[in-house]
């Protein structure tokens, strides 16, 4: 309960302005809480310095909900909220420990959702060690009258999501499910944007591979792109089935009018997944084409080496014959024997070289 004691001390010190969810720093309350807000009738009412009191008022009136934002909470900090809101211990353990698989799990009347946030890392030129996709995690506990969002990593801020929701009170009237949908929609929009941005890198690699001066070092860049694409797929692909469940199955936390919105988000996830799969297949084709080009280039080199070895073999053979220590050899004591042998070697090398050039070996 250390988090609640920190909150009480903050109230005694007087009113403090709430920290915006988009702010990277931690809360001035000295805990992982970056925001605590109360919404009634689709309108932001107050900043809840005391979580228990805010939840009691919401449940007493039966209207509105509490939205608490956390950033990388510790087990002790989340334990108080888990007791207050009745969160399942397994879900709490997953929320504290990052690197979870994207999923949506139901614990009674509470949904626990895990989303992988992604960001495209800008770079001047793709190399074999370039980071293309940066990932983080965004989790949410969604109940009838509360939403608890948990962010791991420096990315995935929900400030823009909150501002968009507050600008649309009709959407906030639908309760915590609207917040969950807005989060999912925001995350999936990033999937689509990052997937489109990765296409530029694939086009650049494809152009380099099929250019006349395509380098043999392109294989490293292709493998790096495939690794980054795999990381993107791990973030996107597992989310398709949970979103389909939210869009089709009757869940108490999700009103029927919200399901259509989740269906739209699921369609976007499907589009991103299919696009990632197409990119992966394209990279496989580019890699195979690159390896084929390398093989052809190596064969060209071997043919050139073989041709020159054949040319050098003629004078080597003649010099080897005349290097023998015999007294009786043709033209050995003739005045023009030496120039004749050199001329024969030069003529033979010229004829062989011309034949190789005609056949495309040189």
């Amino acid at each position: 309960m250390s988090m609640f004691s920190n909150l009480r001390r903050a109230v005694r010190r007087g009113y403090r302005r709430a920290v915006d969810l988009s702010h990277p720093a931690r809360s001035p309350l000295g805990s992982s809480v970056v925001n605590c807000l109360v919404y009634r009738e689709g309108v932001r009412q107050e900043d809840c310095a005391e979580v228990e009191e805010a939840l009691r008022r919401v449940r007493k009136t039966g209207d509105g909900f509490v939205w608490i934002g956390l950033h990388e909470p510790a087990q002790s900090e989340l334990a108080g909220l888990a007791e207050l809101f009745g969160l399942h211990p397994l879900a709490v353990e997953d929320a504290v420990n990052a690197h979870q698989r994207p999923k949506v799990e139901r614990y009674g009347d509470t949904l626990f959702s895990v989303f992988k946030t992604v960001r495209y890392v800008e770079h001047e030129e793709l190399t074999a060690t370039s980071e293309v996709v940066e990932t983080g995690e965004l989790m949410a506990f969604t109940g009838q009258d509360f939403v608890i969002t948990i962010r791991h990593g420096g990315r995935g801020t929900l400030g823009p999501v909150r501002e968009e929701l507050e600008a649309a009170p009709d959407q906030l009237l639908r309760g915590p499910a609207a917040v969950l949908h807005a989060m999912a929609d925001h995350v999936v929009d990033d999937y689509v944007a990052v997937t489109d941005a990765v296409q530029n890198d694939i086009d650049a690699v494809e152009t380099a591979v099929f250019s006349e001066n395509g380098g043999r070092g392109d294989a490293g860049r292709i493998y790096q792109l495939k690794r980054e694409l795999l990381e993107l797929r791990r973030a996107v692909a597992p989310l398709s089935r949970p979103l389909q469940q939210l869009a089709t199955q009757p869940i108490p936390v999700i009103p029927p009018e919200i399901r259509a919105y989740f269906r739209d988000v699921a369609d976007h996830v499907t589009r991103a997944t299919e696009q990632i799969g197409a990119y992966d297949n394209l990279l496989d084709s580019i890699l195979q084409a690159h390896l084929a080009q390398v093989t052809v280039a190596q064969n060209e080199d071997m043919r050139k080496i073989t041709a020159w070895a054949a040319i050098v073999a003629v004078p080597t053979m003649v010099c080897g014959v005349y290097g023998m220590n015999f007294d009786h050899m043709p033209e050995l004591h003739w005045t023009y024997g030496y120039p004749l042998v050199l001329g024969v070697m030069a003529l033979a090398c010229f004829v062989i070289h011309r034949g190789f050039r005609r056949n495309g070996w040189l």
Side-chain angles (χ1 to χ4, degrees):
M1 303 293 291
S2 61
M3 180 182 64
F4 298 133
S5 62
N6 289 332
L7 291 173
R8 293 189 184 96
R9 284 197 297 269
V11 174
R12 296 190 189 102
R13 293 170 187 163
Y15 174 77
R16 290 186 178 184
R17 187 174 181 180
V19 178
D20 195 290
L21 284 172
S22 62
H23 198 284
R26 289 184 172 234
S27 169
L29 302 180
S31 70
S32 62
V33 178
V34 294
N35 222 318
C36 179
L37 306 170
V38 176
Y39 293 91
R40 292 191 183 91
E41 297 181 357
V43 179
R44 176 176 172 175
Q45 298 295 317
E46 59 189 39
D47 301 332
C48 49
E50 184 60 58
V51 179
E52 300 99 324
E53 181 62 22
L55 182 62
R56 186 188 65 80
R57 292 179 181 178
V58 167
R59 290 181 174 176
K60 182 178 180 180
T61 60
D63 180 31
F65 63 93
V66 179
W67 183 353
I68 302 173
L70 306 175
H71 179 254
E72 297 182 355
Q75 181 73 38
S76 58
E77 293 175 323
L78 197 56
L81 289 177
E83 181 180 355
L84 179 63
F85 291 96
L87 307 180
H88 197 278
L90 292 178
V92 173
E93 182 180 356
D94 288 345
V96 173
N97 301 319
H99 309 294
Q100 300 295 321
R101 190 172 186 268
K103 59 184 177 180
V104 176
E105 296 179 338
R106 180 179 174 183
Y107 295 95
D109 293 335
T110 302
L111 285 181
F112 175 62
S113 310
V114 178
F115 303 97
K116 285 282 189 180
T117 59
V118 298
R119 184 183 73 91
Y120 179 77
V121 181
E122 297 289 344
H123 47 269
E124 294 182 0
E125 183 180 0
L126 180 67
T127 65
T129 58
S130 296
E131 183 181 14
V132 179
V133 178
E134 180 184 356
T135 61
E137 285 190 38
L138 187 61
M139 307 175 182
F141 291 94
T142 310
Q144 294 290 351
D145 49 16
F146 68 89
V147 176
I148 302 174
T149 58
I150 302 170
R151 178 165 56 91
H152 288 275
R155 300 293 172 180
T157 174
L158 292 176
V161 176
R162 178 174 58 80
E163 292 173 359
E164 291 177 3
L165 284 172
E166 291 179 354
D170 293 341
Q171 191 72 2
L172 276 175
L173 276 174
R174 296 184 171 92
V179 177
L180 181 61
H181 162 261
M183 289 173 50
D185 187 56
H186 177 71
V187 170
V188 172
D189 284 346
D190 287 342
Y191 292 165
V192 176
V194 171
T195 303
D196 292 338
V198 170
Q199 184 177 3
N200 297 328
D201 291 319
I202 297 177
D203 292 341
V205 169
E206 184 179 18
T207 302
V209 167
F210 290 101
S211 64
E212 294 183 358
N213 299 323
R216 298 185 180 181
D218 290 330
R221 298 197 298 166
I222 297 173
Y223 276 118
Q224 178 64 15
L225 262 182
K226 286 183 68 66
R227 283 194 296 265
E228 295 296 312
L229 208 60
L230 177 61
E231 184 175 0
L232 182 59
R233 172 180 284 180
R234 288 173 177 170
V236 178
L239 200 57
S240 180
R241 184 175 180 182
L243 288 177
Q244 289 290 349
Q245 294 176 347
L246 292 177
T248 57
Q249 296 183 4
I251 301 175
V253 182
I254 309 298
E257 61 270 18
I258 295 291
R259 294 176 192 167
Y261 293 93
F262 280 108
R263 189 178 303 116
D264 179 69
V265 177
D267 290 340
H268 290 173
V269 170
T270 302
R271 171 198 163 188
T273 303
E274 292 175 350
Q275 197 168 0
I276 292 171
Y279 288 165
D280 189 58
N281 293 334
L282 179 58
L283 284 175
D284 286 337
S285 300
I286 294 174
L287 180 60
Q288 292 299 324
H290 172 70
L291 295 178
Q293 286 182 332
V294 171
T295 302
V296 170
Q298 289 176 344
N299 290 337
E300 290 286 342
D301 294 340
M302 289 302 299
R303 288 200 302 179
K304 291 180 180 180
I305 294 172
T306 303
W308 284 111
I311 294 173
V312 173
V314 174
T316 301
M317 180 186 66
V318 176
C319 292
V321 171
Y322 276 87
M324 296 181 184
N325 296 322
F326 292 102
D327 291 332
H328 304 286
M329 295 185 67
E331 316 301 339
L332 187 61
H333 301 287
W334 184 40
T335 305
Y336 300 102
Y338 182 71
L340 177 63
V341 172
L342 291 180
V344 170
M345 288 190 297
L347 179 62
C349 291
F350 173 76
V351 172
I352 296 175
H353 182 272
R354 186 176 180 181
F356 282 134
R357 287 290 297 271
R358 185 180 299 172
N359 293 326
W361 282 49
L362 290 175

